[in-house]
Amino acid sequence: MKYLFFIMAFFCFEQTFAQQKLSLTLEQAQAYALEHNRKLKNASLDIQKAEASRWQALASMLPQAKVNFDYSNYCGYEMNFGPMVIAMNPSGNLAAQVAVALSGAQVIGTQLSAIALKMAEINLQKTQLEISNQVKTMYYSILIMDETLDLLSKNLENMKKLHQFTENSVKVGIAEQTSADQLLVQIAFMETGINSTKRSLEVLSNSLRLLLGVNASDEIELVQKMDELLSIESALQLLKTDFSLEKNYNYQLLKHSTDISKKQISMSEWNFGPTMSAFYQYTKKTYFGKDEGFNMTPPNLVGASVSIPIFSSGLKYAKLRDAKISYEEQLNTLNDTEEALKIQHSQLRYNLTSAHENFETQKKNIEVNQRVFDNISRKFEQGMASSLEVTTSGSNLISAQSSYVKALMELVTAQIALEELLNTDNK
């Protein structure tokens, strides 16, 4: 039992030691995610894979060298040409060959691999932008949820004070027990809301941990506050920013994908073209010290060939036609995407404008409901308002706070969505 205790203590110590605490600003959190996020690591590996494929295509056009060694033993067999007998002694050949083959399809293949490499690089940039914006959204969400928790906690504290005041009034006979009971039920609802908010906050924290690529047990402290980060002026400035298709990563990827489709047509056309090859071979033959037999192996050999396809039963033509159709489809998709992105830009501008207007309205609404609740609370303490009025104004305040938090989240989401489309960042 004693040993078990020590083992458990050591395990707990090891777990505690393995934990880390990160205190991060928004910019630091984004930088940390760009360094440790696993999705980004995969995007970086995709670039390495594309680079390897590109070198494979280039290497296929470069000379290829190989060395062969073979050994033959005829087991004492002799070639009999009447009066002439030739002994077939054991022999070995050491051959070195250099060959090169070239076709138009190989050239197109290198061009395709170069485009694929460029697409991998753009995809990495796109993933970096997405991860940064996801971290920003999660950072803001946690701060907003913290603010919600603070608002609910203040409401609960005020309601508990009113409930205690009512209980004291009941004891001296100037208030009814039902009034205290109503407030107690309201307190229970508030506590339930706070507990639910805490669970939602933990879910958001776990999502941020996943984006940062840290352990689930690591503690994350957000050192910036919402008032410090939220800039209405910067958000509204986005409405004046012109939209450039060329800066949008999705459009860039689709454009390169269209280029690939066009190159596939050239690839299919080169199926009708010739393939040229040439080689040089040097061979050294040995009979391992025995008499040289019937030797027809030249020490030097040079060769070249040109292969020209003539007839393939329409197979190559069908592939060419298929490539042209695919390219036409890709062009239609590119044109549709151009219009869709322009429409999306307009829609996101509308969303941000509406979100800002709603946020300003909800900010005024929460201020009014807070004043109403404070006024009715004072009247209740003076016996000029009922407990029903208190609970009603408290519910209205909670509803106003919920609408304010929702409007704030909509404003942040609309701002980040427009930033991502414009490929810009207003921190």
Side-chain angles (χ1 to χ4, degrees), residues 120-187:
E121 293 171 347
I122 294 174
N123 187 62
L124 175 61
Q125 295 174 327
K126 176 176 176 287
T127 307
Q128 288 174 336
L129 179 63
E130 290 174 347
I131 295 299
S132 294
N133 285 332
Q134 288 172 12
V135 169
K136 186 175 184 179
T137 300
M138 207 57 60
Y139 199 102
Y140 278 30
S141 299
I142 293 175
L143 292 179
I144 292 173
M145 196 61 68
D146 274 331
E147 187 173 332
T148 303
L149 195 58
D150 290 340
L151 292 173
L152 292 176
S153 298
K154 290 178 182 178
N155 292 341
L156 179 61
E157 183 180 354
N158 291 333
M159 195 62 68
K160 284 184 175 180
K161 289 180 180 178
L162 292 176
H163 176 259
Q164 185 61 45
F165 174 81
T166 306
E167 287 286 359
N168 294 335
S169 299
V170 171
K171 291 178 181 178
V172 298
I174 60 175
E176 297 181 358
Q177 184 61 45
T178 53
S179 298
D181 293 341
Q182 285 180 326
L183 294 177
L184 190 61
V185 171
Q186 186 73 7
I187 289 173

Side-chain angles (χ1 to χ4, degrees), residues 5-16:
F5 171 77
F6 282 120
I7 291 174
M8 293 179 63
F10 175 77
F11 177 76
C12 292
F13 173 78
E14 187 180 30
Q15 289 293 104
T16 304

Side-chain angles (χ1 to χ4, degrees), residues 406-421:
K406 182 180 178 182
L408 178 57
M409 194 65 231
E410 288 176 351
L411 176 63
V412 169
T413 302
Q415 176 186 349
I416 294 175
L418 187 53
E419 286 174 355
E420 186 168 338
L421 182 68

Side-chain angles (χ1 to χ4, degrees), residues 217-364:
S217 58
D218 290 340
E219 183 180 353
I220 300 175
E221 179 187 8
L222 308 185
V223 299
Q224 289 183 287
K225 300 300 180 184
M226 197 66 202
D227 293 339
E228 180 183 352
L229 292 173
L230 183 63
S231 174
I232 300 299
E233 292 77 13
S234 297
L236 296 180
Q237 190 65 32
L238 291 171
L239 300 175
K240 303 176 183 178
T241 304
D242 294 331
F243 175 51
S244 172
L245 280 171
E246 299 299 330
K247 290 181 64 177
N248 185 269
Y249 289 136
N250 287 322
Y251 179 76
Q252 291 178 26
L253 288 172
L254 187 57
K255 198 171 182 181
H256 282 299
S257 181
T258 304
D259 292 339
I260 288 179
S261 295
K262 187 175 182 179
K263 290 294 182 183
Q264 291 291 350
I265 295 178
S266 300
M267 177 75 80
S268 298
E269 289 174 342
W270 271 106
N271 287 333
F272 295 94
T275 299
M276 298 174 289
S277 62
F279 73 92
Y280 166 74
Q281 179 175 297
Y282 171 77
T283 305
K284 174 65 176 177
K285 190 163 189 173
T286 179
Y287 287 88
F288 303 102
K290 296 186 178 182
D291 295 335
E292 183 175 339
F294 190 68
N295 185 5
M296 294 184 63
T297 304
N300 296 287
L301 179 63
V302 176
S305 68
V306 177
S307 175
I308 302 175
I310 296 177
F311 182 69
S312 62
S313 300
L315 176 63
K316 292 181 175 63
Y317 175 76
K319 287 184 177 180
L320 177 60
R321 185 168 177 270
D322 179 68
K324 289 181 177 179
I325 293 173
S326 297
Y327 176 61
E328 187 175 349
E329 290 177 341
Q330 195 69 21
L331 284 177
N332 291 333
T333 302
L334 181 63
N335 292 331
D336 281 345
T337 302
E338 289 179 1
E339 297 303 319
L341 287 173
K342 293 175 182 177
I343 293 174
Q344 184 183 6
H345 175 238
S346 299
Q347 184 61 53
L348 291 179
R349 291 180 73 254
Y350 298 151
N351 292 348
L352 181 56
T353 302
S354 299
H356 172 250
E357 293 173 351
N358 186 40
F359 172 74
E360 294 296 333
T361 301
Q362 295 301 331
K363 187 163 65 171
K364 295 176 181 177

Side-chain angles (χ1 to χ4, degrees), residues 46-62:
D46 286 339
I47 292 181
Q48 298 180 32
K49 288 170 60 178
E51 182 69 28
S53 298
R54 175 172 171 268
W55 276 108
Q56 289 180 41
L58 287 172
S60 67
M61 297 189 298
L62 300 177

Side-chain angles (χ1 to χ4, degrees), residues 35-147:
E35 184 178 355
H36 297 90
N37 184 270
R38 298 175 184 88
K39 185 177 180 181
L40 267 177
K41 291 180 180 179
N42 286 341
S44 298
L45 292 174
D46 286 339
I47 292 181
Q48 298 180 32
K49 288 170 60 178
E51 182 69 28
S53 298
R54 175 172 171 268
W55 276 108
Q56 289 180 41
L58 287 172
S60 67
M61 297 189 298
L62 300 177
Q64 311 292 315
K66 64 179 181 178
V67 175
N68 292 329
F69 175 77
D70 65 79
Y71 171 78
S72 300
N73 192 322
Y74 294 90
C75 300
Y77 176 76
E78 296 179 344
M79 295 184 66
N80 192 344
F81 294 95
M84 183 175 61
V85 177
I86 301 176
M88 301 299 290
N89 294 322
S91 64
N93 291 318
L94 179 64
Q97 184 184 80
V98 178
V100 62
L102 185 64
S103 68
Q106 288 174 293
V107 177
I108 300 299
T110 59
Q111 296 174 351
L112 287 172
S113 61
I115 296 175
L117 176 59
K118 183 62 177 178
M119 290 182 68
E121 293 171 347
I122 294 174
N123 187 62
L124 175 61
Q125 295 174 327
K126 176 176 176 287
T127 307
Q128 288 174 336
L129 179 63
E130 290 174 347
I131 295 299
S132 294
N133 285 332
Q134 288 172 12
V135 169
K136 186 175 184 179
T137 300
M138 207 57 60
Y139 199 102
Y140 278 30
S141 299
I142 293 175
L143 292 179
I144 292 173
M145 196 61 68
D146 274 331
E147 187 173 332

